[in-house]
Amino acid sequence: MRKNFLTVPVILAACSPFIGCQQPDASNKQPSAITPFATIALADSLSAQDLWPGFNPRSTPVAIFDGTRTLLFRHPAPPAAFTPLAGHDGVWVHAGRDSSVSANTSTQLGGVTTATLLPAPDSTPALRRAGILVHEAFHVFQRAHHPSWSANEADLFTYPVSNAALLTQRRLESEALRRALLAPMKPDAECWARAAVNLRQLRFARLPASASAYERATELNEGLATYVEWRATNRADSAVMPPGEFAPEDIRERGYRSGVALARLLDRLAPGWRAELEAHDSIPLDSMLWAAVATQPGGPCGFTDAERDRFGRIAMSEVTALTSRLAAERRSFLDRPGWRLIIRAASPLFPQGFDPLNVNVVAPGEVLHARLVKLGNDAGSVEVMGRPSLSEAAGTHPLFSGVRKLTVTGFKEPPRITKADSGLSISADGITGMFRGARADTGGMVVTLYLP
């Protein structure tokens, strides 16, 4: 059955490439050096600050997998798999990783929206870990109070990332935001903020409406969650917009930071903006900033011709490199030694979950999922987690028109296909699935599953 674009769950990892920390590993069997209890306590202490009107992280349900067990805090109706943890009132536990805890995100657990965390690398500072929990708790708040603050992830796959002219304008806008944040005098901050919004208006006029809507919604969703996280952990303005900006395809990652930039400039230039947005939550952040600076006195800020030329040359070079890199990633995936699994679906498979921070359209209709994808139809479903997979579209959209073929490579052992009363089950390193009416075939080092 086809899923509505806006209702497909996405699995979001808070440790993304632009932050510079490792991706959480749901298969990690070693307890983290940062205990769940220490993380909860530090996050609660950070939450004593004024983070957002009406937001109280200390009342948010939280599930934390520590590598050996899943601990559930402040949950009003724990699922039956959880039992009270001796010596800790209000804490429940069950052995292993609960299936709903697949990333640092917010999800439904026992019918209740819950913040979830996976084990962190030992090198992760405790303050960073607590900040991630505040970030995910704010997502729980957003889902309850501002459900419209959510981008249509289908639009990410058709964003024109290979347009060098649009990338040049995006980079200039980001640099203007960076200069506004770092400006010591308010008039200079207003001037560069005005330049940034002007550049955005020109860029959005050339973008498809779906692309600009995606950016704005991501800034409200992930940008504000990051803003609240950084407000809690007191991150500096100088860390918001990196001088090198982001890779051409990193639209979502940039939204985390551009959202913070817009919010922090609003803190400085329109102090009452949070209450206004809380009351009228459909206003884009850039529109609020424009209202704050459009009529302020002062001369225009802008870039020299030499600066514009430099940004343009860099953008053209990076778009060329992106095309080559995506082709190389596809070849590298397909050339991985070992066994491979191919699932061919006569009736398209539709996404039931994926990680938008770790996907790339590597060829027309082909999406390389670096970390996670779950696909299904009326016959069953398959989940690939912790290893790459390549989906091939059944229709015009690279993913959301359905998938006709899924390929997973690089197995040391052949994937196990087991017959059961309910159909054929799939079991391999990083893969689980079950389909009714399917048949399997093995040839060479390829296991192919044919779905009805």
Side-chain angles (χ1 to χ4, degrees):
M1 181 179 297
R2 182 170 180 171
K3 299 290 185 179
N4 181 282
F5 289 175
L6 292 175
T7 61
V8 174
V10 293
I11 309 303
L12 310 182
C15 287
S16 58
F18 71 85
I19 293 174
C21 57
Q22 298 178 22
Q23 290 286 355
D25 181 4
S27 64
N28 184 359
K29 301 301 180 184
Q30 297 300 318
S32 171
I34 308 169
T35 71
F37 295 98
T39 299
I40 288 281
L42 181 53
D44 283 354
S45 68
L46 297 176
S47 301
Q49 306 173 68
D50 173 24
L51 300 180
W52 189 268
F55 171 52
N56 180 14
R58 290 170 288 188
S59 63
T60 303
V62 176
I64 302 178
F65 175 54
D66 69 358
T68 59
R69 59 184 182 172
T70 304
L71 295 168
L72 189 58
F73 300 83
R74 300 191 286 250
H75 199 285
F82 287 84
T83 57
L85 182 63
H88 297 276
D89 291 340
V91 182
W92 291 265
V93 64
H94 84 65
R97 179 181 65 85
D98 185 84
S99 60
S100 63
V101 184
S102 56
N104 298 335
T105 188
S106 61
T107 190
Q108 290 292 305
L109 197 158
V112 177
T113 309
T114 303
T116 65
L117 291 185
L118 289 180
D122 289 345
S123 59
T124 305
L127 183 63
R128 170 77 182 116
R129 180 75 165 159
I132 293 172
L133 180 53
V134 172
H135 179 119
E136 304 306 346
F138 191 70
H139 280 318
V140 175
F141 173 84
Q142 289 173 315
R143 299 293 82 80
H145 297 271
H146 306 287
S148 64
W149 290 0
S150 183
N152 185 346
E153 296 299 335
D155 294 331
L156 181 63
F157 294 87
T158 56
Y159 193 104
V161 296
S162 59
N163 186 311
L166 287 171
L167 178 60
T168 301
Q169 288 183 311
R170 191 190 89 187
R171 295 278 176 76
L172 289 168
E173 175 193 316
S174 295
E175 177 61 16
L177 287 172
R178 191 179 75 88
R179 294 183 186 187
L181 285 168
L182 299 181
M185 305 298 292
K186 184 178 178 181
D188 293 332
E190 290 173 338
C191 186
W192 279 111
R194 190 160 52 245
V197 181
N198 268 324
L199 286 161
R200 169 169 288 206
Q201 291 170 347
L202 293 171
R203 184 169 63 90
F204 277 11
R206 299 179 62 187
L207 273 175
S210 60
S212 56
Y214 182 88
E215 287 193 39
R216 283 172 159 164
T218 300
E219 288 167 345
L220 287 169
N221 183 34
E222 295 294 355
L224 288 184
T226 307
Y227 161 79
V228 168
E229 173 191 344
W230 285 26
R231 189 177 177 95
T233 57
N234 199 30
R235 291 286 297 274
D237 282 345
S238 58
V240 176
M241 295 301 293
E245 218 243 11
F246 299 91
E249 73 276 21
D250 288 344
I251 306 302
R252 197 174 202 281
E253 291 90 329
R254 179 183 181 270
Y256 282 65
R257 299 297 188 90
S258 60
V260 176
L262 293 167
R264 289 201 168 184
L265 287 170
L266 285 165
D267 279 345
R268 186 175 183 183
L269 305 177
W273 75 276
R274 293 187 303 154
E276 180 183 356
L277 185 59
E278 187 64 19
H280 307 284
D281 67 358
S282 63
I283 311 172
L285 294 179
D286 58 287
S287 296
M288 298 188 79
L289 185 59
W290 180 249
V293 301
T295 60
Q296 295 300 316
C301 291
F303 296 95
T304 66
D305 290 342
E307 287 176 317
R308 289 178 177 274
D309 288 345
R310 179 172 62 85
F311 276 98
R313 288 193 302 272
I314 293 173
M316 181 63 73
S317 173
E318 290 192 350
V319 165
T320 301
L322 170 65
T323 303
S324 298
R325 179 170 59 79
L326 293 178
E329 287 182 7
R330 181 181 183 275
R331 287 194 303 271
S332 177
F333 169 82
L334 293 174
D335 290 345
R336 295 178 74 189
W339 285 81
R340 70 177 53 196
L341 172 69
I342 296 175
I343 299 176
R344 294 184 178 274
S347 178
L349 298 165
F350 287 93
Q352 297 179 349
F354 68 99
D355 181 353
L357 292 182
N358 289 279
V359 293
N360 275 314
V361 179
V362 294
E366 294 186 353
V367 179
L368 185 62
H369 305 263
R371 193 183 84 89
L372 169 72
V373 67
K374 183 175 182 180
L375 301 170
N377 60 17
D378 291 339
S381 66
V382 60
E383 181 180 79
V384 184
M385 185 171 186
R387 64 182 307 130
S389 60
L390 184 72
S391 62
E392 184 177 319
T396 56
H397 190 278
L399 186 62
F400 284 86
S401 294
V403 170
R404 67 181 177 186
K405 179 181 177 183
L406 181 71
T407 302
V408 191
T409 59
F411 294 105
K412 294 180 179 179
E413 303 290 337
R416 295 176 296 280
I417 308 296
T418 306
K419 291 184 178 180
D421 292 341
S422 54
L424 292 183
S425 67
I426 312 162
S427 179
D429 181 22
I431 298 182
T432 56
M434 171 72 76
F435 287 98
R436 296 179 297 278
R439 67 179 180 86
D441 179 62
T442 301
M445 296 184 71
V446 180
V447 176
T448 304
L449 196 67
Y450 297 91
L451 308 184

